[in-house]
């Protein structure tokens, strides 16, 4: 999806990245193996998931000022369904309009 979004001329670039949960650092190597998705591990003293009220497999969509716009859960809306993929892409594009 990142490549599709890169091909669209938007006022602000859309960047997709992963943010691991605090305490799950041991899985980082396996998460990035063979992938190009940027993967961040917050410091142990910063509980980003709690601050952002993240649920497992959430896509947190931030606006141009890094404000929370919405979240889209990939367990509920599996991207194997093309309609869900298009819906998420639409939400990302709306966030930069």
């Amino acid at each position: 999806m990142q490549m599709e979004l890169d091909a669209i001329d938007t006022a602000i670039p859309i960047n997709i990245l992963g943010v691991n949960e605090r305490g799950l650092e041991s899985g980082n190597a396996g998460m990035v193996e063979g992938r190009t998705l940027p993967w961040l591990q917050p410091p142990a003293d910063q509980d980003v998931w709690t601050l952002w009220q993240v649920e497992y497999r959430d896509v947190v969509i931030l606006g141009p000022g890094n404000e929370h716009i919405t979240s889209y859960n990939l367990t509920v809306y599996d991207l194997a369904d093309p309609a869900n993929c298009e819906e998420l892409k639409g939400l990302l594009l709306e966030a930069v309009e």
Side-chain angles (χ1 to χ4, degrees), residues 1 4 72 77-79 81-90:
M1 183 178 293
E4 289 178 47
Y72 193 84
Y77 302 103
D78 188 346
L79 294 184
D81 180 337
N84 292 339
C85 200
E86 287 302 312
E87 181 178 34
L88 177 57
K89 191 178 352 172

Side-chain angles (χ1 to χ4, degrees), residues 1-46:
M1 183 178 293
Q2 182 68 66
M3 290 190 312
E4 289 178 47
L5 293 167
D6 289 344
I8 300 170
D9 187 27
T10 57
I12 299 168
I14 298 171
N15 296 301
I16 300 173
L17 55 95
V19 179
N20 197 16
E21 186 174 8
R22 181 173 68 168
L24 298 179
E25 297 83 357
S26 64
N28 282 339
M31 189 60 199
V32 299
E33 186 176 333
R35 295 185 171 100
T36 58
L37 177 73
W39 188 249
L40 304 177
Q41 179 63 59
D45 65 339
Q46 294 182 19

